[in-house]
Amino acid sequence: MKTPMLPLCLAFSAGIAIADRFVSPAMAWESIVVTLFLVLSSIVFNIKADPTPFTLRLMPIKTLVLPLLTPFSCGIMLALVQLNGLRTDCPRGFSVYDVVIISEPKESNKAITADAIITSGKYAGCNIRLAFDKSYFGKKDIAIGNGLEVRCRMKEPQDFKNSNFSYKRYLRVRNITFTAFIGKNNCKEKAVSISSLSFMQRMRLGALTLRHNIVDTYRELGMSGESLAIAAAMTLGDKSMLTPSIQDTYSITGAAHVLALSGTHLVIVFFIFSLLFRQYSRRWYATGFILCLTWTYVVFVGMPASVVRAALMLSIFSFARLAERGKNSINSLATAASLMLAFNPQVLFDAGFQLSVAAVAGILLSYDFFSPLPRKLSIMQMRYPILTRLIPFITLVTIPMAAQIATAPLIAYYFGRLPVYFLITNIVVLPATSIILYVSVACIILFPIPILGTVAAWLMQNSIYLLNNILTFIASLPHSSVSIPGISVTSVAISYGILIIIIAYLQLQLGKMVNNSKINRIH
């Protein structure tokens, strides 16, 4: 089988979904026992023995049932263990807590919200989302790394009514256990100790503090307003300064993915690091160092699901290249998704993770059909050599088309509308994203040199300004988006079932075309 990890990943994901919906977290120990039994059964069945009529009758169990039932049971077990661990008793009444801010403050109509880690007491290490009263606190009073002593009553997150968006699950994916409101005279600055935090929590806090300092560097170079907000989102993953108007414009035009760090951003960063070691690209130490830099960037931007998935895929590809093993993209995607789900099963329900995996899967599964590969156009390219030069430009259209088709049901479900001019948008957005990322690196490197740093910042600011104007024009066109309200989970499942059938049919037709071309060459 060319993609052995794909059915295993699907079975693993199905187990997590079933456990979250139908199984009680109190059954965690039972699930562990069942999983251990299935693992031992798999080991016993795979012990080589002389074939007998009895062993032949058990072949379906050995080759089909156990290989799929084991990851399915593992998914149930891990999901229940995590849900059981997240069940923390919520304290009653008001209490005093020492916390340290771990996110950029975000301003809404009535409050300023920010995430924090509790650093002392029974709940040390738990994440909490704080809402500060806007009439008493300003964004300047709350910054990443600030220690605070707050008096509040913690509550469990609750979902919004009449919405497909689960706020409770959204916070759970980000390991946020409680929410709290901070009123007047209930907060003061304090030098708090972070020794009770884990190594990963301290490392992430340091990375986020460095990210905050780079945003200040952008400001010192003269960037402000929308340009600063988009630069921080596109290059550093900081979306706290994005206004609703910016988000609406990018959403209507189908360019919202560039405001959230994704695989495209990480591939560009990986390429920049690879240029430094181009002469040693086949050496294990160069590959290891490049991957270390790449994962440092992943931690630095806050480890969003799409970037972690892309980093895992790049790591798998790099190790496969060093081992001189054939690389299968779908297999690598399934492996990366399985690893992410193993570390945090709740990420399966994250909209960003779902959209990221669906987009990459759509591109990989439909690439052979949409992309003009040499095996399909070899004869035409011999007659018309100009087609070879057009391939990169055709890819600018086909890849966004495949990604948009693959994510359309999820976009309609979560956002209630679909962009119409997404092809035009991506032709503009993809080159602009590359330019902005390259110039942002130049800004950081050239910052100590006043003139060169200012010039780089000017180039980035004007690139963002031009991109915004183009997207604003596209968003103003008639019927720039189609409203699709009230789509259900069942409709999403049916849509993906139809897409899978269409892709399977196209792949089958492509296989027939390739086989016929081979027969014709033989004759």
Side-chain angles (χ1 to χ4, degrees):
M1 188 175 183
K2 293 183 179 180
T3 56
M5 282 300 300
L6 181 58
L8 300 181
C9 179
L10 293 176
F12 187 53
S13 303
I16 295 173
I18 293 295
D20 184 84
R21 187 66 180 263
F22 301 107
V23 187
S24 170
M27 299 180 64
W29 280 108
E30 289 85 344
S31 66
I32 293 174
V33 173
V34 172
T35 303
L36 290 176
F37 173 76
L38 290 172
V39 171
L40 291 175
S41 300
S42 299
I43 295 173
V44 171
F45 272 98
N46 279 282
I47 296 175
K48 293 184 178 180
D50 295 332
T52 64
F54 178 73
T55 57
L56 291 176
R57 285 197 298 269
L58 294 178
M59 282 297 292
I61 298 177
K62 175 182 177 181
T63 59
L64 181 62
V65 177
L66 283 177
L68 293 180
L69 196 58
T70 303
F72 178 79
S73 179
C74 286
I76 293 177
M77 179 194 69
L78 290 175
L80 294 181
V81 169
Q82 185 190 38
L83 289 174
N84 196 50
L86 290 174
R87 291 193 305 173
T88 304
D89 295 332
C90 188
R92 297 180 180 180
F94 284 84
S95 299
V96 177
Y97 306 95
D98 291 340
V99 302
V100 59
I101 302 296
I102 59 171
S103 73
E104 295 289 350
K106 192 170 183 179
E107 188 173 353
S108 61
N109 293 332
K110 297 181 179 180
I112 297 174
T113 58
D115 298 335
I117 300 181
I118 301 174
T119 60
S120 61
K122 176 183 176 181
Y123 300 98
C126 291
N127 294 337
I128 181 172
R129 174 153 292 187
L130 302 175
F132 297 87
D133 192 325
K134 192 175 178 181
S135 59
Y136 300 110
F137 302 96
K139 291 183 71 173
K140 293 182 179 179
D141 302 324
I142 309 162
I144 289 179
N146 282 7
L148 301 174
E149 182 183 87
V150 297
R151 183 178 180 272
C152 61
R153 182 174 62 184
M154 295 195 295
K155 299 179 179 180
E156 294 183 356
Q158 301 295 326
D159 286 335
F160 301 120
K161 295 182 179 180
N162 302 323
S163 175
N164 288 332
F165 175 73
S166 175
Y167 183 66
K168 183 177 181 179
R169 193 184 300 280
Y170 170 81
L171 295 183
R172 185 189 295 169
V173 170
R174 286 152 184 79
N175 293 318
I176 297 175
T177 310
F178 304 111
T179 61
F181 177 78
I182 309 300
K184 181 182 179 182
N185 299 326
N186 286 335
C187 175
K188 64 179 181 180
E189 292 188 8
K190 181 181 179 181
V192 300
S193 172
I194 61 173
S195 59
S196 61
L197 304 183
S198 67
F199 171 75
M200 287 297 298
Q201 288 175 323
R202 293 197 299 270
M203 183 175 67
R204 185 169 182 267
L205 177 60
L208 292 173
T209 304
L210 179 60
R211 187 180 74 174
H212 178 78
N213 294 335
I214 293 179
V215 174
D216 288 339
T217 299
Y218 286 163
R219 289 193 180 95
E220 292 179 20
L221 290 172
M223 299 187 68
S224 60
E226 291 186 355
S227 297
L228 176 63
I230 294 173
M234 290 181 65
T235 63
L236 302 172
D238 178 10
K239 297 187 288 185
S240 61
M241 293 179 286
L242 293 175
T243 61
S245 62
I246 296 176
Q247 293 176 334
D248 285 342
T249 299
Y250 278 69
S251 177
I252 291 172
T253 57
H257 58 279
V258 304
L259 295 178
L261 288 174
S262 62
T264 303
H265 299 75
L266 195 68
V267 168
I268 295 173
V269 171
F270 183 83
F271 178 72
I272 293 173
F273 292 150
S274 299
L275 289 177
L276 302 175
F277 302 93
R278 185 168 51 183
Q279 296 180 350
Y280 308 98
S281 59
R282 293 278 182 177
R283 305 294 178 84
W284 66 268
Y285 52 83
T287 301
F289 189 67
I290 292 170
L291 289 176
C292 285
L293 292 175
T294 303
W295 279 101
T296 300
Y297 177 78
V298 172
V299 175
F300 173 65
V301 298
M303 300 183 71
S306 57
V307 178
V308 173
R309 186 266 311 156
L312 284 170
M313 287 191 67
L314 285 173
S315 301
I316 294 169
F317 285 149
S318 299
F319 289 129
R321 184 184 180 189
L322 285 176
E324 297 182 352
R325 299 288 299 272
K327 53 184 181 181
N328 186 294
S329 300
I330 290 293
N331 214 43
S332 299
L333 175 62
T335 304
S338 299
L339 289 173
M340 292 181 66
L341 293 172
F343 281 106
N344 183 8
Q346 287 298 310
V347 81
L348 176 66
F349 308 102
D350 181 42
F353 174 81
Q354 296 172 6
L355 290 168
S356 175
V357 173
V360 176
I363 292 171
L364 297 177
L365 289 173
S366 59
Y367 186 79
D368 286 343
F369 179 79
F370 281 114
S371 180
L373 295 176
R375 68 183 184 186
K376 293 172 59 180
L377 295 181
S378 56
I379 298 176
M380 294 183 66
Q381 287 177 4
M382 291 174 63
R383 296 179 181 177
Y384 309 102
I386 194 173
L387 287 176
T388 305
R389 299 182 180 180
L390 291 177
I391 287 177
F393 299 98
I394 298 175
T395 304
L396 285 176
V397 176
T398 57
I399 289 181
M401 181 184 295
Q404 190 66 38
I405 292 173
T407 56
L410 287 172
I411 292 174
Y413 175 74
Y414 284 113
F415 306 109
R417 63 184 177 188
L418 290 173
V420 174
Y421 306 114
F422 64 90
L423 287 179
I424 300 174
T425 298
N426 282 280
I427 291 174
V428 175
V429 162
L430 293 178
T433 302
S434 301
I435 293 171
I436 292 170
L437 284 175
Y438 282 123
V439 176
S440 68
V441 174
C443 284
I444 297 171
I445 295 175
L446 299 176
F447 172 68
I449 308 175
I451 297 177
L452 295 180
T454 304
V455 170
W458 180 84
L459 287 173
M460 183 162 67
Q461 190 164 0
N462 281 275
S463 299
I464 295 173
Y465 177 76
L466 179 61
L467 176 62
N468 282 349
N469 285 340
I470 295 174
L471 294 181
T472 302
F473 171 74
I474 295 175
S476 65
L477 294 175
H479 310 293
S480 56
S481 65
V482 178
S483 178
I484 309 178
I487 186 171
S488 64
V489 176
T490 304
S491 301
V492 173
I494 293 173
S495 300
Y496 276 112
I498 295 172
L499 279 176
I500 291 172
I501 292 173
I502 293 173
I503 291 174
Y505 173 77
L506 295 177
Q507 291 287 345
L508 181 62
Q509 294 300 314
L510 179 61
K512 291 180 179 179
M513 291 171 56
V514 174
N515 291 332
N516 290 336
S517 64
K518 290 180 179 178
I519 294 173
N520 293 332
R521 281 198 296 269
I522 292 174
H523 292 285

